[in-house]
């Protein structure tokens, strides 16, 4: 690892104002992604993965507010940039693949044109070459009949295809930082492998750094350099995938793994995670937001959480790690 | 259950034979040209072969998994069996009764409707937002079985109990329920009319792993208790391996391999099945030793050449013979079938 951080998120806290009070959605979130590195964000839905991505991209909705932190990227703090500078960066160096692909595509423009537009605007292609290059891109994401599909409008394509079109658009301009929010959810494993290989290729060739949001732990372990586990707006553990699978140190990470159908021989061997995420509107949230569900909780857990380094690139925020 | 429709017959519960669905593609333009052109004889419109002469059976009490890449025809096949879509040709026999002749449009009122029920991928989207959980569960009973009000209410409560949905949640609307609770409502509703076959299209795809576990365990338990058969569509091959007795592998409208799940996963024969299984994400690098990546481009499902193997062009094995002769599904071992010249 060359260890040039492409993105360093430090002490990021985000709140949402809602009718029923202030929701402390992210608290002191910090992690970094090196050039050419792919870092996975995993955790149950509602744990703050998408909000982390939106905050970094500067696209939180109006009710959301960054209350602390920085996101250093190429020498500047993305959280402090003006809307105009950020929009400029977003087009050229930052790309995001959204969780819901259909809503992110322009419904009244043929998909081939949409890819060509990006190639012209940010990928250095000429108007003449762009249509051909767009079809090449469709081939890369394994769209069958790419020539015909390039002429289609999003509504004429299945959800899985729209998803691959989004991926093609996001990768077309060779971004320095890619944030992919569940990009392969719902795709079959062979197509998923192709997409992951493609991300890996760009990481290797152009040093693209990737934040890969997923709920598939095995996928994260196979294709990502490190896994960051989130729970209720906190990072509870960060580790290389292999280390996490071999020896998860946070009780929540261990439970997530025990619920994942991997090499297990029977369904009965899997166990669900007791309880649910705490209500983040509570004014008296405990320092450890997992403590209400935790079997290892002790008196110490009422103190502010420690950050313990337990191995190489392996950090855990817990008083009683496994 | 001694209803006249479901007289227990020997043989499989579901018997699908040479079932096909072709969609006419080419758009309005083509259609218009067809009717207005007097000058030249027009070529037939292109046909998309979504499901292409598929045959298989499901035994009573059996769980069969259906896997294959997006667009290979899984949903179309499921909609044919569930009689939401009319087949182009072929037969769908449920315990001996031919269902393919009934029109999909009128099937909702057909007495056989109750025998095949479906659990959808996104329980949230498939529930009517203006129905409470109790209404949603009662709805198929109201439509398909005559049941007096008091008995219906008791039945709905019994179904909530069976699916682990707390009774006090029955008066809630979908937006007041969690993902796992909505999944339970979707299952309760599907089993409400005592189907013999339950079709599940990615029932847990939208759920967190911790909730998925509980729902899968519930499905397994219900199957034991009620003796239903399942047709289970999923992209998660680990889940298929854990839940299913047998597995069907589809590629571009064709079944290319089928057999006992344990055997297919341990020793895939068709090159596509091999690629599929080797693409299952593995946390353990030792398990990734023989990764198989498919090159080439998928063939078009539109007017496919009947003499060329559908996998030709992407198949790592592909020989000239594969481009001249379509491989048929043939026995490979006692309970398995493969459609490849070399398997
Ligand atoms: N616009 C919003 N207003 C209020 N709360 C929000 C908003 N967006 C997200 N949240 C809350 O933030 C938390 C994290 O959400 P999200 O980042 O979408 O989770 P994940 O992507 O991990 O599933 C959730 O509790 C969610 O309810
Ligand atoms: N109503 C339709 N009209 C035309 N083509 C269709 C229609 N429904 C499905 N198809 C096509 O049929 C093929 C199989 O689709 P589908 O059954 O949805 O696959 P899967 O569920 O395996 O992803 C695809 O090529 C799809 O584009
Ligand atoms: S800090 Fe305490 S309550 Fe929180 S996870 Fe660790 S042991 Fe459990
Ligand atoms: Mg999200
Ligand atoms: Mg489908």
């Amino acid at each position: 690892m060359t260890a040039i951080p492409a993105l360093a998120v430090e002490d990021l806290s985000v709140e949402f104002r809602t009718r029923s009070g202030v929701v402390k959605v992210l608290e002191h979130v910090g992690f970094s992604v090196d050039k050419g590195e792919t870092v996975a964000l995993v955790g149950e839905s509602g744990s703050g993965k998408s909000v982390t991505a939106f905050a970094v991209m500067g696209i939180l909705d109006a009710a959301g507010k960054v209350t602390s932190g920085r996101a250093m990227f190429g020498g500047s703090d993305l959280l402090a940039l003006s809307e105009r500078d950020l929009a400029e960066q977003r087009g050229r160096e930052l790309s995001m693949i959204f969780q819901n692909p259909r809503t992110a595509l322009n419904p009244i423009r043929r998909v081939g044109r949409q890819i060509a537009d990006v190639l012209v605007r940010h990928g250095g292609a000429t108007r003449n070459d762009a249509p051909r290059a767009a079809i090449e891109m469709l081939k890369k994401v394994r769209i069958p009949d790419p020539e015909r599909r390039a002429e289609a409008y999003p509504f004429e394509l299945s959800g899985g295809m729209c998803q691959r079109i989004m991926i093609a658009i996001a990768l077309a301009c060779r971004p320095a930082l890619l944030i992919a929010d569940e990009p392969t959810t719902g795709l079959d494993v062979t197509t998923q492998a192709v997409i992951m290989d493609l991300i890996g290729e760009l990481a290797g060739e152009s040093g693209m750094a990737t934040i890969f949001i997923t709920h598939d732990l095995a996928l994260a372990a196979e294709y990502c350099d490190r896994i960051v586990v989130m729970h209720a707006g906190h990072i509870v553990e960060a580790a290389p995938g292999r280390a996490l699978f071999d020896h998860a140190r946070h009780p929540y990470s261990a439970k997530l793994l025990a619920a994942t159908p991997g090499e297990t021989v029977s369904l009965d061997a899997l166990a669900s995670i007791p309880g649910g995420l705490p209500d983040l509107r509570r004014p008296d949230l405990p320092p450890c937001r997992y403590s209400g569900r935790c079997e290892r909780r002790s008196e110490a857990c009422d103190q502010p959480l420690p950050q313990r380094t337990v191995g190489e690139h392996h950090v855990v925020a817990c008083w009683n790690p496994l | 259950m001694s209803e006249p429709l479901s007289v227990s017959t020997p043989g499989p519960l579901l018997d699908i034979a040479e079932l096909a669905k072709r969609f006419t593609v080419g758009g309005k333009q083509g259609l218009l040209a067809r009717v207005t052109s007097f000058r030249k004889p027009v070529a037939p419109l292109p046909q998309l072969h979504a499901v292409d002469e598929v045959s298989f059976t499901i035994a009573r009490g059996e769980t069969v998994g259906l896997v294959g890449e997006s667009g290979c025809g899984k949903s179309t096949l499921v909609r044919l069996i569930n009689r939401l879509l009319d087949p182009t040709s072929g037969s769908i026999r449920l315990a001996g009764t031919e269902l393919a002749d009934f029109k999909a449009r009128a099937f909702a009122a057909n007495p056989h409707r109750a025998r095949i029920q479906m659990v959808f991928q996104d329980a949230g989207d498939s529930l009517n937002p203006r129905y409470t959980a109790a209404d949603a569960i009662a709805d198929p009973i109201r439509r398909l079985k005559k049941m007096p009000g008091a008995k219906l209410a008791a039945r709905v409560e019994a179904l909530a109990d069976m699916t682990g949905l707390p009774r006090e949640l029955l008066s809630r609307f979908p937006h007041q329920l969690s993902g796992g609770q909505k999944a339970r409502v979707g299952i309760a509703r599907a089993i409400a009319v005592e189907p013999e076959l339950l079709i599940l299209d990615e029932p847990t795809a939208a759920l967190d792993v911790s909730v998925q576990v509980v729902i899968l365990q519930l499905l397994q338990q219900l199957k034991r208790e009620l003796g239903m058969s399942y047709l289970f569509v999923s992209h998660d091959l680990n889940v298929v391996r854990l839940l299913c007795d047998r597995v069907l592998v589809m590629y571009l409208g064709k079944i290319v391999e089928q057999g006992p799940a344990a055997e297919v996963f341990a020793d895939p024969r068709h090159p596509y099945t091999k690629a599929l299984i080797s693409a299952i994400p593995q946390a353990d690098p030792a398990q990734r030793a023989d990764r198989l990546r498919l090159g080439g481009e998928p063939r078009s499902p539109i007017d496919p050449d009947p003499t060329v193997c559908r996998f030709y062009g992407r198949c790592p094995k592909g020989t000239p013979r594969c481009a001249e002769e379509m491989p048929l599904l043939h026995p490979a071992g006692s309970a398995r079938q493969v459609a490849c010249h070399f398997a």
Side-chain angles (χ1 to χ4, degrees):
Chain A
M1 239 170 276
T2 42
I4 311 161
L7 174 77
V9 175
E10 296 158 18
D11 191 37
L12 176 64
S13 302
V14 171
E15 292 179 357
F16 279 92
R17 269 169 310 229
T18 68
R19 250 176 294 164
S20 48
V22 173
V23 197
K24 296 198 198 82
V25 166
L26 296 183
E27 201 174 60
H28 310 310
V29 163
F31 65 96
S32 67
V33 191
D34 292 344
K35 269 189 92 171
E37 202 187 25
T38 301
V39 171
L41 287 189
V42 304
E44 278 163 289
S45 33
S47 56
K49 306 182 296 294
S50 295
V51 168
T52 303
F54 293 162
V56 169
M57 293 290 290
I59 51 173
L60 279 177
D61 74 39
K65 190 166 150 241
V66 174
T67 54
S68 76
R70 308 196 298 166
M72 299 307 295
F73 175 73
S76 54
D77 177 5
L78 294 177
L79 305 183
L81 285 184
S82 74
E83 183 50 42
R84 220 171 97 226
D85 292 345
L86 196 58
E88 172 65 20
Q89 292 248 21
R90 265 205 297 271
R92 222 183 37 236
E93 290 181 78
L94 306 176
S95 263
M96 176 147 180
I97 301 168
F98 291 89
Q99 212 168 344
N100 188 346
R102 214 182 279 275
T103 54
L105 289 171
N106 181 344
I108 55 165
R109 196 155 173 79
R110 296 178 197 277
V111 297
R113 298 264 175 85
Q114 296 193 42
I115 301 174
D117 291 344
V118 174
L119 288 168
V120 170
R121 214 170 329 119
H122 305 293
T126 66
R127 266 282 154 217
N128 278 340
D129 314 336
R132 243 335 320 138
I135 289 169
E136 279 310 307
M137 225 37 234
L138 290 176
K139 279 189 187 157
K140 279 199 172 173
V141 294
R142 284 289 184 281
I143 300 272
D145 269 338
E147 285 86 0
R148 196 167 66 85
R149 255 62 188 247
E151 297 300 314
Y153 292 97
F155 74 88
E156 296 175 297
L157 301 174
S158 68
M161 267 197 241
C162 287
Q163 204 165 356
R164 280 176 275 169
I165 307 269
M166 264 304 294
I167 294 169
I169 290 176
L171 298 179
C173 51
R174 300 187 156 252
L177 176 67
L178 171 72
I179 302 184
D181 196 352
E182 312 249 4
T184 63
T185 300
L187 292 182
D188 51 277
V189 291
T190 45
T191 309
Q192 173 173 274
V194 167
I195 304 291
M196 298 312 296
D197 287 348
L198 193 59
I199 292 176
E201 255 170 54
L202 284 176
E205 284 170 14
S206 62
M208 177 177 77
T210 306
I211 299 178
F212 186 80
I213 299 177
T214 178
H215 59 253
D216 186 336
L217 280 162
L219 184 70
E222 172 160 359
Y223 294 96
C224 301
D225 300 292
R226 280 178 302 124
I227 299 180
V228 171
V229 184
M230 292 190 73
H231 177 270
H234 283 173
I235 290 181
V236 297
E237 183 163 9
R242 193 72 212 133
L244 191 74
F245 268 75
D246 282 348
H247 189 180
R249 307 298 294 264
H250 196 281
Y252 176 65
S253 313
K255 289 281 185 195
L256 266 186
L257 286 168
T260 301
E263 292 299 292
T264 24
V265 284
S266 92
L267 269 183
D268 303 326
L270 299 174
S272 71
I273 308 176
L277 298 178
D279 182 348
L280 299 181
R281 284 167 309 195
R282 266 173 51 189
D284 58 336
L285 276 172
C288 172
R289 293 181 172 184
Y290 185 65
S291 58
R293 311 169 80 177
C294 185
E295 289 161 0
R296 297 175 66 80
R297 150 173 214 172
S298 66
E299 265 175 33
C301 305
D302 294 329
Q303 302 303 312
L305 278 177
Q307 293 285 338
R308 299 185 168 173
T309 300
V310 289
E312 203 182 342
H313 302 293
H314 196 162
V315 186
V316 60
C318 171
W319 283 106
N320 305 304
L322 292 154
Chain B
M1 274 164 277
S2 56
E3 289 159 286
L5 284 174
S6 43
V7 189
S8 205
T9 46
L13 172 68
L14 184 73
D15 189 347
I16 300 292
E18 285 159 32
L19 188 62
K21 179 68 189 179
R22 294 189 283 277
F23 293 106
T24 300
V25 290
K28 292 176 234 71
Q29 217 181 351
L31 209 65
L32 205 66
R34 213 173 131 85
V35 287
T36 53
S37 165
F38 303 103
R39 271 145 260 140
K40 49 180 192 282
V42 274
L45 286 173
Q47 300 277 303
L48 188 151
H49 293 226
V51 171
D52 206 356
E53 320 246 301
V54 154
S55 305
F56 66 93
T57 61
I58 299 181
R60 282 187 189 276
E62 191 180 32
T63 297
V64 174
L66 176 60
V67 302
E69 60 189 16
S70 336
C72 74
K74 302 179 298 296
S75 294
T76 304
L77 177 56
V78 156
R79 288 163 49 100
L80 290 171
I81 298 171
N82 196 25
R83 303 306 298 106
L84 293 169
L85 199 62
D86 287 321
T88 305
S89 60
S91 126
I92 304 166
R93 283 216 299 277
L94 188 71
T97 308
E98 180 60 72
L99 299 185
D101 300 336
F102 297 118
K103 284 275 161 269
R105 213 168 350 106
F107 198 69
N110 192 293
H112 292 287
R113 170 71 284 173
R115 304 175 67 188
I116 304 178
Q117 289 290 304
M118 177 125 176
V119 176
F120 292 91
Q121 166 163 2
D122 203 321
D125 286 352
S126 66
L127 294 175
N128 185 330
R130 287 168 305 158
Y131 276 20
T132 62
D135 290 335
I137 298 171
D139 182 50
I141 311 178
R142 284 207 185 94
R143 279 194 277 149
L144 296 166
K145 312 243 154 164
K146 293 198 170 53
M147 199 180 271
K151 208 174 151 215
L152 180 62
R155 172 78 181 143
V156 168
E157 289 192 343
L159 285 160
D161 295 348
M162 279 163 80
T163 51
L165 183 74
R167 286 186 188 188
E168 59 272 21
L169 299 185
L170 281 171
S171 57
R172 294 212 184 158
F173 291 94
H175 73 271
Q176 299 168 313
L177 298 170
S178 71
Q181 289 159 349
K182 279 185 274 198
R184 290 180 201 273
V185 175
I187 294 169
R189 171 189 161 81
I191 64 171
V193 290
E194 298 176 326
E196 292 152 82
L197 176 65
L198 196 59
I199 303 179
L200 305 115
D201 196 352
E202 301 254 11
T204 60
L207 302 175
D208 281 315
V209 280
S210 66
V211 182
Q212 167 174 276
V213 175
V214 195
I215 297 298
L216 292 175
Q217 287 169 345
L218 170 67
L219 286 170
Q220 199 170 46
Q221 176 202 336
L222 286 173
K223 198 186 74 156
R224 280 190 203 122
E225 287 170 8
L226 306 176
M228 292 175 284
S229 304
Y230 287 168
L231 178 59
F232 185 83
V233 182
S234 181
H235 282 315
D236 190 330
L237 297 171
N238 283 316
V239 169
V240 170
R241 181 176 58 83
L242 291 178
L243 194 72
C244 298
D245 304 312
R246 216 146 50 79
V247 59
L248 310 172
V249 183
M250 260 183 109
Y251 187 82
L252 271 185
K254 292 271 187 200
I255 290 180
V256 295
E257 176 153 10
Q258 59 167 307
E263 287 181 34
V264 172
F265 279 92
D267 173 29
R269 298 285 182 79
H270 194 282
Y272 173 66
T273 318
K274 288 187 184 174
L276 193 64
I277 285 169
S278 92
I280 301 175
Q282 298 287 355
D284 181 358
Q287 303 278 337
R288 295 176 212 150
D290 46 356
R291 297 302 343 252
L292 243 161
R293 284 295 193 265
L294 296 176
E297 209 184 294
R299 307 188 77 76
S300 169
I302 297 167
D303 293 334
D305 189 330
T307 62
V308 182
C309 174
R310 291 287 152 86
F311 196 44
Y312 184 67
R314 275 179 102 192
C315 181
K317 180 107 193 166
T319 68
R321 184 179 167 199
C322 312
E324 283 157 14
E325 187 189 338
M326 165 84 79
L328 300 176
L329 206 54
H330 59 266
S334 59
R336 296 179 67 179
Q337 291 181 307
V338 189
C340 170
H341 294 308
F342 306 96

